[in-house]
Amino acid sequence: AAPAGELPPELCTLHASLGVPSARVDNLLRLGSVAVYAAGSRVHFLDTQSGDVSYLPSLSGCAVGAIGAHPSGAYLCVAETGCSPLCCVYEYPSLRLYRVLRGGTERAYSACSFDPAGARLATVGSSPDFMLTVWDWKTEKIELRSKAFSQEVYRVTFSPHVDGSLVTSGTGHIRFWRMASTFTGLKLQGAIGKFGTVALSDISGYVELPSGKVLSGTDWGNLLLWNGNLIECEVCREGGLPCHEGSINCLAIDAGRIVSGGDDGQICYWDLSAVEAAEVTEEEPTFQLLPLATLSLAAREEGRAVAKVQSIVTGGDGKWLVQDAAGALYEVDATSWDSRTLRLFHAGGITGLDVSPAGHIAVTSGADGSVRAWDFARGALLHTSRFGAAASACAWASTAVDPTGRTIGVGFADGTIRVLECCADGLRLVSALKTHAARVRHLLFSPDGRLLATGADDDTVFFVSVRKSGCAPLGFVQLAGAPSAMCWADESARLVVACEDELLRITPPGENVDNQVSYRLPLELKQAGSEALRAALMGRLRAERERELSAARARWLEDHPLPDDPIEAADMEAARAEAERAEEEARGPIPPPQFTVRALAARAGGFDAAIEMVSGGESGLWHFPLAATPEPLREGGPANCWLAESLSGKYRLAARVDGAVQLAPDLAGAVWEGTYHAPLMSGGGGALTARLSFDDAYVLSASTDGTFFVLAVAEVEPDLSSAHGLAASLPAKQPDAIADVDGEAYSLEEAKQKEESDARALAASHKKRGLRARVTEIRERFRSLLARNEAMPPADRLPRAAFRIDPHLEERIAAESGLRLEAAAHELAWDAEVASLTLGKLKAKYLEPLECERTALHGLRSGRKVHALRIPRLTPQQQAAIAEVHAAVDAHAVAGTELASSRPSSAASARAPEAAGAAVAEVGSAGAQQGEPLSKLEERAARHAARAAAWAELNARRPAPGYAAPEDVSAIEQARGAMGDYLLKTDPNYKVSESMRVDAQKKQRQLALLDESIHTLKTSFNGRLLELQQHKHRVVAVLNADQGRLEELENALHPDPKHVPPLDLRGQKEDPNRRYHVTAEDLAAHASEAQAAEVGISGSDFGAHAVRANEQPPAQTTPMKKGSPPDAGPLALESARSELVIAEQALARERMLQERCELLERREESIASFDGALDELCAEKSRLLSDVQRAELRRWVLHRELLLLREFDQRDRSLAAKLDKAGADKSELALKICECQEKLEDKRRAIESLLERDRALMAEFDGAVGERHKHREELLRIFRRKVKRARKPPEGLDAGDENNSEDEADSESDGDDDDEDEDESQPPPAEG
């Protein structure tokens, strides 16, 4: 028995499934001769031999997310979608449920696969968790799990060669997994594939090779060979062509060959051994390979020229199953390449569905641009028509429009609507109109068959008159937004349109409308119940708020019972009311309800509307009577996206966003509900359409995921006679009644507006042309008068001033021109100021911070170009740092110079022995000069005497033994401070010398000097480039002059201009700094171009005569005379001339040839020299860039070091502050310790004085009482008790304080006496 509020589930049963989600990846299996695929909530089993189809529903009733076959073929895995989806394992072929796996993912499964041994099952979840789970499926336990990726995963497979290895792939990734044993147990470890220099790609197809490598496809059509998680090589065809034109979607291995399929519709065979042994080099980064064979699946269906291979399932019998995402399922013979079509369907989503009013024929419109007619009772496709744009809506006209029931209206994404006629062998085009400029959302024939209303994304509703002769456009109504739903109400008298959160009622136009100027109709848009609905929803919100307040009030009264005292009760009631008022203010006013109308359907006496609240997602079904308040029919649950009524009026049909279809006599009562489709995309994407056949025997539903189901209603017997009668009465297809329209053309309104605009422009052009002709005529008459006046005798001529009819005309024209210029300047002042400010900001942002822009210097002939370095200006901080460093260096240099001047010259010290030697030489030379011969003994004695004198002089300058020169002492101290102690850095006594210490200031100086060096390098290079650029300008000037001379020589030597040697100087703009320098020649050239463009556009001769009037007649060419220069004309020798003239002319020709050769050689040398210099500059730039790059890296390191040093300095300052504070605390503690020690010393002296007094008193007592006195002990005790020690009161105490202190002393003495008594009361210690 069915639950309350629901009709029995046996009311509707699945009759046929005619659609396939063609874009799904890995959605095709083969079990023997049966092809298995999932569509909606059913798994389909297609017998490839007989064509019979059987179905397996999902266990939970939700859509199927993935399917997988056991290696033995004995089990089938069905992974579902929904909240906490199930993963079910069925026995095959009995389809008995064998195992149910739970907890693998949160929302949906996207892929599943068994391992080669069949013991494990791997599943991958979809958003939001993308969880990879490895199951021990027979025990229904999870072995391992890990997050596969952060985006969609398309496939998961176990390695057929390596146990415990898996591969997953999907959006922008491929990942290689292994089940590794760790100290905590078995873990899943995944290595993401690294694309490296190869572009990132989605990977939907891959295959593992026998060597363990993985071959995958790419978006651009090449193959990637993976070794581990790294790309070993990229495979393409010979010549660098891609393996496939477009994405490669599937890969497989069959008979030792690799099979690939892609978006180009081709299936290719590749040599497996060649791919496994592929190697690449740096010169050839890709491995080039030719396919062994190629099969194209394009043009396998009539009217379809494209194909897209989505899946290939190979088999041991040589038969392949191929899923064509363009709308077909094939069986391909791998040997003969013959293919057999198993199924045909829409490629992509089904956007519209409607049924014939007289037979079991349905029409569907698809996003692939096709319109298909189906015999749904037999589950067969009848006809297919294809168009250039995606079909977005369709409607089958009622018998009021076409009594034969063969007329179909279709709307398209390009704004075109087409009316087709269903024939026995195809669909015939009857009418085509481009009514909209955007996608057509809705298309409705009026119940009376008079009008066709269409709503589109261009925020318009267009009305078309439907006639037997064709369709005639009437006009459109502009809306505030795109219509979300439409329906006819009140028997074609009104059209109800849902636009955003408004329901509008439009009265359709009549046949006679004025649309000569525009198709826009002045129709009134009236409210159709949206305000009443909003008021009802607001009342419900207020009631809900009141219920919440009442419940809160009741809870408060339970917690706080009112006292018996009326005054206290009144106070508590007031406090409660105040609390309620505060809570109401905190909540604020109730916001107005916002809703979206998802669907509309006509109903007797009004219409029904399915609404969905914008906030909260609540939905409901409401009935809107024509003249009453709307009434809710059903509330809660998923929102309805489609409402319809059967042609007989017995049933009402609804489709929901969760993929369910509802059928009932009245949707407000008990309904039948079945879920066959996947839920629609969140955010309103997608659509689900449902219809009832003309005899209420079948329920048809289609979704934008491509699924299309036909359900049989058990309690209704199909009307086969009428259905067969319609099929038998369909005539043969005739030629199309009209030519189709171009989807890129203007819409009707755009074409009309363009036609009006062209007409106005043409009229203005004619008027302008007439005015210009009149002005030209007047100008010609004026010129003829001037010519006649010039031809008259001077006495009869009129002065030029006489031709001025109005002397003030020029002044007025000039004044008017000035006023117009001022007006134009005033009009353009805002734009000019904006442009000026924008230009200033751009300069300040991009140009002013630059010291040198990136200019280019081109070669004269080599084609090489060198760019200048883009140098930013040094910031003020950098300039200040560099200046500070240089100042410090200069100061250090000055200090070093002063120190050097204060020291004795080392050169002088070194020259002292030399002076002695010179003295000896001088003595010897003196003797020699006297001319007296000296004996050897005398010479030796003289040398000894000179040497002794030198030593005496040197010893006289010797300092005292303990003397140390101040400059030497300072130098030694400086060396000691700078030299360091040379201990190992690991030595605990190691200290860094002052010269080796680095702080933030030194590092800042290094950074400043490095910045200056980099800036200097770049500036010097740019200076050399600019010098070479100036040299190029000089060279080009010389070459142009030489070129002119060469042309003169060529004209003299060869009259044919083709002998002039060309000069190809590259004149690219090389100086961007002159972009704002505009010369008079530039302005004149711009004015000439503008005038020529204006004359060319206008197509008239206005102003041409004025130009011709200023033109000079061409100069008369005269033959070259004797003695004329060579450039006066060609050398034409005449037979009549003398031999001397001939010789002179030959000599002149030889000289010109010699000059020509010299000019050509000089040109070649200049060009080669400049291009060589440019090549050297290019090489220098390469080296410079390398050095600059290293310097930049060094700068980065210095900057990081500077940051660290600053951090260290800050830490040092903090530690120093703490040290200073600790030192201050230590000093303070030392002072306190000294003070305490002084006080202790004072106390010690006081104690010693007291002890001395005690000893004196005891001596006095001993003197008064002898040691042998019999009462000595009692007297001693009394003496110790009564004698008071005189204590000096502390400073600052008054007499009262002194008395208190005496009392305390008494009490202390009493206490001491008590202690003594206690001591005396104790027995004496035993002796010995």
Side-chain angles (χ1 to χ4, degrees):
E6 295 185 12
L7 296 177
E10 297 81 10
L11 179 64
C12 296
T13 56
L14 181 60
H15 178 72
S17 177
L18 305 178
V20 177
S22 59
R24 284 183 59 174
V25 179
D26 205 18
N27 188 39
L28 184 62
L29 303 175
R30 180 170 183 174
L31 296 173
S33 63
V34 177
V36 185
Y37 60 91
S41 63
R42 300 296 189 270
V43 179
H44 296 57
F45 300 88
L46 172 62
D47 191 328
T48 58
Q49 304 297 328
S50 63
D52 296 335
V53 183
S54 58
Y55 310 99
L56 172 66
S58 64
L59 184 62
S60 64
C62 299
V64 177
I67 54 175
H70 194 270
S72 64
Y75 300 98
L76 176 69
C77 175
V78 178
E80 303 178 2
T81 63
C83 184
S84 299
L86 305 177
C87 184
C88 304
V89 180
Y90 295 87
E91 294 179 349
Y92 186 82
S94 65
L95 298 182
R96 185 178 65 88
L97 183 62
Y98 184 67
R99 292 289 186 270
V100 178
L101 311 180
R102 294 177 172 87
T105 187
E106 294 182 19
R107 299 296 304 172
Y109 288 100
S110 60
C112 63
S113 176
F114 287 94
D115 70 340
R120 292 190 179 100
L121 173 68
T123 60
V124 178
S126 184
S127 177
D129 56 348
F130 304 106
M131 190 62 65
L132 169 62
T133 308
V134 179
W135 304 80
D136 182 356
W137 62 274
K138 289 188 177 180
T139 61
E140 301 181 0
K141 293 182 180 180
I142 295 177
E143 287 190 353
L144 299 170
R145 64 186 309 170
S146 175
K147 185 169 183 176
F149 200 60
S150 59
Q151 298 186 51
E152 201 66 35
V153 180
Y154 302 150
R155 294 187 63 198
V156 58
T157 56
F158 283 90
S159 170
H161 310 291
V162 182
D163 187 26
S165 296
L166 300 93
V167 181
T168 59
S169 70
T171 303
H173 80 284
I174 183 171
R175 198 162 191 175
F176 305 92
W177 302 84
R178 66 186 184 93
M179 292 183 285
S181 298
T182 65
F183 68 93
T184 58
L186 197 63
K187 300 291 183 183
L188 264 179
Q189 296 179 349
I192 193 72
K194 298 180 180 179
F195 285 85
T197 58
V198 179
L200 201 65
S201 171
D202 296 343
I203 296 180
S204 58
Y206 63 84
V207 64
E208 184 168 348
L209 308 182
S211 61
K213 301 177 182 179
V214 175
L215 187 68
S216 72
T218 59
D219 289 339
W220 57 90
N222 282 353
L223 296 169
L224 298 179
L225 183 62
W226 298 84
N227 191 354
N229 65 330
L230 299 178
I231 296 177
E232 185 169 297
C233 71
E234 183 176 357
V235 182
C236 65
R237 296 197 185 201
E238 290 188 357
L241 299 176
C243 300
H244 287 267
E245 294 293 335
S247 175
I248 297 178
N249 302 317
C250 52
L251 288 166
I253 295 180
D254 183 68
R257 294 170 294 182
I258 299 174
V259 185
S260 65
D263 284 350
D264 55 357
Q266 292 186 348
I267 301 175
C268 299
Y269 263 147
W270 306 92
D271 188 351
L272 175 60
S273 59
V275 172
E276 283 194 313
E279 293 183 356
V280 294
T281 61
E282 294 183 357
E283 294 78 12
E284 293 292 336
T286 58
F287 180 72
Q288 299 184 1
L289 185 68
L290 278 176
L292 302 177
T294 301
L295 170 66
S296 177
L297 294 180
R300 295 300 173 109
E301 182 184 1
E302 183 180 357
R304 178 168 64 90
V306 297
K308 180 180 177 182
V309 179
Q310 189 71 16
S311 297
I312 298 177
V313 180
T314 59
D317 58 352
K319 301 292 185 181
W320 299 348
L321 292 178
V322 179
Q323 177 185 343
D324 183 1
L329 183 62
Y330 302 105
E331 185 182 54
V332 178
D333 191 328
T335 304
S336 63
W337 293 94
D338 294 334
S339 62
R340 182 167 61 93
T341 303
L342 301 178
R343 298 293 297 270
L344 292 175
F345 42 84
H346 280 284
I350 299 176
T351 57
L353 166 67
D354 208 347
V355 295
S356 168
H360 292 155
I361 301 177
V363 61
T364 55
S365 58
D368 57 352
S370 66
V371 180
R372 299 175 184 259
W374 307 81
D375 185 346
F376 55 83
R378 295 188 297 112
L381 175 64
L382 297 179
H383 316 303
T384 300
S385 291
R386 298 183 179 275
F387 300 92
S392 53
C394 67
W396 202 305
S398 65
T399 54
V401 178
D402 180 10
T404 62
R406 299 188 294 118
T407 301
I408 303 168
V410 185
F412 292 85
D414 58 2
T416 304
I417 61 170
R418 293 178 174 89
V419 178
L420 308 175
E421 188 178 55
C422 184
C423 301
D425 52 352
L427 299 174
R428 173 174 174 263
L429 180 63
V430 176
S431 180
L433 297 172
K434 185 74 179 291
T435 56
H436 297 278
R439 177 176 66 103
V440 178
R441 283 192 172 196
H442 309 283
L443 186 141
L444 300 175
F445 286 97
S446 62
D448 59 3
R450 187 176 59 88
L451 296 175
L452 172 64
T454 59
D457 284 342
D458 58 357
D459 305 340
T460 60
V461 173
F462 209 101
F463 294 95
V464 177
S465 176
V466 181
R467 305 169 184 171
K468 292 183 180 180
S469 59
C471 297
L474 297 179
F476 68 90
V477 178
Q478 188 70 43
L479 304 177
S484 60
M486 293 170 48
C487 76
W488 289 98
D490 198 14
E491 295 296 329
S492 304
R494 297 181 183 88
L495 178 68
V496 179
V497 179
C499 177
E500 296 181 350
D501 60 347
E502 296 291 338
L503 286 171
L504 304 175
R505 186 173 67 251
I506 304 174
T507 302
E511 292 289 338
N512 300 322
V513 294
D514 184 11
N515 52 18
Q516 297 297 322
V517 178
S518 174
Y519 281 106
R520 185 162 186 169
L521 302 175
L523 299 181
E524 182 181 2
L525 302 179
K526 298 181 179 180
Q527 290 289 333
S530 54
E531 292 297 334
L533 176 61
R534 196 172 287 108
L537 294 175
M538 178 61 78
R540 292 181 169 222
L541 293 176
R542 290 196 185 97
E544 182 66 24
R545 176 74 65 87
E546 187 61 32
R547 283 194 297 271
E548 292 177 0
L549 291 176
S550 299
R553 188 182 303 113
R555 288 193 301 270
W556 189 89
L557 290 176
E558 288 180 2
D559 298 337
H560 305 82
L562 294 178
D564 298 333
D565 188 358
I567 298 178
E568 293 181 2
D571 293 340
M572 291 185 64
E573 191 67 28
R576 184 191 56 77
E578 184 65 26
E580 288 183 358
R581 188 161 46 253
E583 184 180 358
E584 187 70 20
E585 291 178 358
R587 287 188 176 185
I590 299 176
Q594 296 182 353
F595 57 87
T596 300
V597 180
R598 301 292 301 263
L600 292 173
R603 193 177 183 183
F607 61 91
D608 294 341
I611 68 168
E612 184 177 11
M613 302 299 294
V614 174
S615 59
E618 298 179 357
S619 62
L621 182 62
W622 291 68
H623 175 63
F624 289 79
L626 295 179
T629 305
E631 304 169 353
L633 298 179
R634 193 184 68 252
E635 292 182 295
N640 291 107
C641 60
W642 181 264
L643 296 175
E645 186 178 14
S646 65
L647 296 178
S648 63
K650 296 180 180 179
Y651 294 96
R652 302 190 64 78
L653 198 62
R656 296 195 316 221
V657 295
D658 61 348
V661 177
Q662 295 177 327
L663 175 68
D666 188 355
L667 292 177
V671 298
W672 173 89
E673 181 177 313
T675 302
Y676 288 86
H677 302 273
L680 303 183
M681 293 183 293
S682 60
L688 181 60
T689 311
R691 292 288 186 180
L692 271 164
S693 62
F694 78 102
D695 55 359
D696 298 339
Y698 297 97
V699 175
L700 293 81
S701 61
S703 176
T704 48
D705 63 354
T707 54
F708 180 18
F709 293 100
V710 181
L711 311 177
V713 181
E715 63 184 22
V716 180
E717 190 68 25
D719 187 359
L720 300 179
S721 59
S722 300
H724 292 309
L726 173 64
S729 63
L730 290 177
K733 180 181 177 182
Q734 300 296 324
D736 293 341
I738 61 169
D740 201 358
V741 298
D742 185 7
E744 300 295 329
Y746 291 111
S747 65
L748 293 176
E749 178 65 15
E750 290 173 342
K752 186 174 286 294
Q753 296 301 324
K754 184 70 171 57
E755 183 181 354
E756 293 292 332
S757 176
D758 293 344
R760 289 192 297 269
L762 183 61
S765 177
H766 285 313
K767 185 177 180 180
K768 189 187 298 183
R769 191 177 294 111
L771 181 60
R772 288 177 177 173
R774 177 63 176 164
V775 171
T776 303
E777 181 184 356
I778 294 174
R779 183 176 293 164
E780 291 295 332
R781 288 174 57 190
F782 181 73
R783 287 175 179 163
S784 64
L785 289 176
L786 290 177
R788 287 173 57 191
N789 183 59
E790 293 294 331
M792 295 182 68
D796 296 336
R797 289 178 188 172
L798 294 176
R800 186 60 183 265
F803 288 92
R804 295 181 178 178
I805 302 174
D806 187 355
H808 303 289
L809 180 60
E810 293 183 0
E811 298 178 359
R812 290 200 300 270
I813 292 176
E816 292 177 1
S817 299
L819 292 175
R820 286 197 296 270
L821 288 175
E822 291 179 1
H826 183 70
E827 291 178 1
L828 298 177
W830 172 263
D831 296 335
E833 184 66 19
V834 170
S836 177
L837 292 176
T838 304
L839 181 62
K841 291 181 179 180
L842 291 175
K843 286 182 179 179
K845 177 68 175 178
Y846 297 105
L847 296 182
E848 291 181 0
L850 295 180
E851 185 173 325
C852 182
E853 294 188 48
R854 189 173 181 270
T855 61
L857 181 60
H858 297 263
L860 293 175
R861 183 172 292 168
S862 63
R864 185 187 297 276
K865 62 180 178 180
V866 180
H867 291 276
L869 298 176
R870 186 174 179 269
I871 307 176
R873 297 182 187 274
L874 293 175
T875 62
Q877 294 81 3
Q878 289 176 324
Q879 295 177 3
I882 292 172
E884 181 182 354
V885 172
H886 283 293
V889 171
D890 295 340
H892 184 71
V894 170
T897 303
E898 293 177 353
L899 181 62
S901 63
S902 65
R903 297 176 183 174
S905 175
S906 59
S909 301
R911 285 196 299 270
E914 295 177 1
V920 174
E922 185 178 356
V923 172
S925 62
Q929 288 177 0
Q930 291 178 0
E932 297 178 359
L934 297 175
S935 62
K936 293 182 178 180
L937 182 59
E938 291 174 346
E939 290 178 359
R940 188 180 299 111
R943 286 197 299 270
H944 285 176
R947 187 178 297 109
W951 275 110
E953 181 183 359
L954 183 61
N955 290 328
R957 293 198 306 269
R958 175 183 294 175
Y963 175 78
E967 59 272 15
D968 294 340
V969 172
S970 63
I972 291 172
E973 292 298 330
Q974 182 180 1
R976 285 177 178 175
M979 185 170 56
D981 54 4
Y982 293 103
L983 294 175
L984 292 177
K985 293 183 179 181
T986 57
D987 193 293
N989 298 323
Y990 173 78
K991 295 181 180 179
V992 181
S993 62
E994 189 65 29
S995 61
M996 295 180 63
R997 291 181 181 177
V998 180
D999 55 6
Q1001 185 177 6
K1002 291 183 180 180
K1003 192 61 66 177
Q1004 183 70 38
R1005 292 177 181 177
Q1006 294 178 9
L1007 195 60
L1009 291 176
L1010 185 59
D1011 289 338
E1012 184 185 19
S1013 301
I1014 295 174
H1015 186 269
T1016 303
L1017 286 175
K1018 292 183 178 180
T1019 304
S1020 61
F1021 174 79
N1022 286 352
R1024 291 191 293 274
L1025 186 139
L1026 292 178
E1027 291 177 0
L1028 189 59
Q1029 190 180 44
Q1030 296 298 327
H1031 176 65
K1032 178 184 177 181
H1033 294 164
R1034 294 191 293 271
V1035 170
V1036 169
V1038 173
L1039 292 178
N1040 287 331
D1042 292 347
Q1043 181 68 15
R1045 179 58 183 163
L1046 281 173
E1047 291 178 357
E1048 294 177 359
L1049 294 175
E1050 289 295 335
N1051 290 332
L1053 293 171
H1054 304 286
D1056 190 358
K1058 69 182 180 179
H1059 292 286
V1060 178
L1063 177 63
D1064 182 17
L1065 299 180
R1066 302 180 181 273
Q1068 295 89 347
K1069 295 182 180 180
E1070 297 178 345
D1071 190 2
N1073 295 321
R1074 298 184 57 84
R1075 61 168 67 90
Y1076 304 111
H1077 298 275
V1078 181
T1079 62
E1081 292 79 4
D1082 297 334
L1083 294 175
H1086 179 71
S1088 301
E1089 292 176 1
Q1091 185 177 4
E1094 182 180 358
V1095 172
I1097 292 173
S1098 61
S1100 62
D1101 297 335
F1102 183 71
H1105 298 285
V1107 177
R1108 296 193 190 100
N1110 297 327
E1111 293 179 354
Q1112 298 295 331
Q1116 299 291 332
T1117 59
T1118 57
M1120 184 178 68
K1121 299 180 181 180
K1122 182 180 179 180
S1124 61
D1127 56 349
L1131 296 177
L1133 300 179
E1134 299 177 1
S1135 59
R1137 297 180 180 180
S1138 62
E1139 294 181 358
L1140 180 61
V1141 174
I1142 294 174
E1144 289 178 352
Q1145 291 180 351
L1147 181 60
R1149 181 179 180 84
E1150 291 297 328
R1151 289 176 178 173
M1152 286 188 288
L1153 289 174
Q1154 180 65 25
E1155 182 180 3
R1156 177 179 180 274
C1157 292
E1158 292 177 355
L1159 290 175
L1160 289 175
E1161 290 178 0
R1162 185 169 67 183
R1163 183 173 76 176
E1164 295 299 326
E1165 291 178 359
S1166 300
I1167 293 175
S1169 175
F1170 177 80
D1171 288 346
L1174 189 65
D1175 293 341
E1176 294 178 0
L1177 191 64
C1178 183
E1180 180 183 354
K1181 182 184 178 182
S1182 300
R1183 294 191 294 271
L1184 177 63
L1185 288 178
S1186 177
D1187 296 340
V1188 169
Q1189 190 68 26
R1190 287 195 294 270
E1192 291 290 346
L1193 292 175
R1194 175 61 179 164
R1195 188 185 186 282
W1196 183 83
V1197 173
L1198 290 178
H1199 180 70
R1200 294 293 302 171
E1201 292 176 351
L1202 177 61
L1203 295 179
L1204 292 175
L1205 287 173
R1206 285 177 177 173
E1207 183 180 351
F1208 295 157
D1209 287 348
Q1210 184 177 2
R1211 191 181 303 171
D1212 290 344
R1213 286 192 295 271
S1214 175
L1215 293 176
K1218 292 180 180 179
L1219 181 62
D1220 294 340
K1221 183 180 178 183
D1225 294 343
K1226 180 180 179 181
S1227 301
E1228 184 179 356
L1229 290 175
L1231 291 175
K1232 292 181 179 179
I1233 289 172
C1234 291
E1235 293 177 358
C1236 291
Q1237 288 178 351
E1238 292 176 357
K1239 292 180 180 179
L1240 287 174
E1241 186 65 25
D1242 294 341
K1243 293 292 185 181
R1244 186 181 63 78
R1245 287 195 294 268
I1247 291 170
E1248 288 180 355
S1249 64
L1250 292 175
L1251 291 175
E1252 186 66 28
R1253 180 185 174 189
D1254 286 344
R1255 284 193 294 270
L1257 290 174
M1258 288 301 297
E1260 184 180 356
F1261 177 78
D1262 290 339
V1265 178
E1267 292 182 358
R1268 296 181 178 276
H1269 195 280
K1270 59 179 180 180
H1271 298 291
R1272 177 180 174 83
E1273 295 299 331
E1274 290 82 359
L1275 292 175
L1276 179 61
R1277 187 164 52 250
I1278 294 170
F1279 174 77
R1280 287 180 177 176
R1281 183 187 305 153
K1282 297 299 181 180
V1283 175
K1284 297 182 179 178
R1285 297 182 178 93
R1287 295 186 180 181
K1288 185 178 179 180
E1291 297 180 0
L1293 292 178
D1294 53 9
D1297 296 334
E1298 187 175 355
N1299 296 331
N1300 294 334
S1301 63
E1302 291 179 355
D1303 297 339
E1304 292 174 359
D1306 293 340
S1307 62
E1308 290 177 359
S1309 63
D1310 295 341
D1312 295 338
D1313 294 341
D1314 295 339
D1315 294 338
E1316 291 175 359
D1317 295 341
E1318 291 177 359
D1319 294 338
E1320 292 175 354
S1321 63
Q1322 293 179 359
E1327 295 181 0

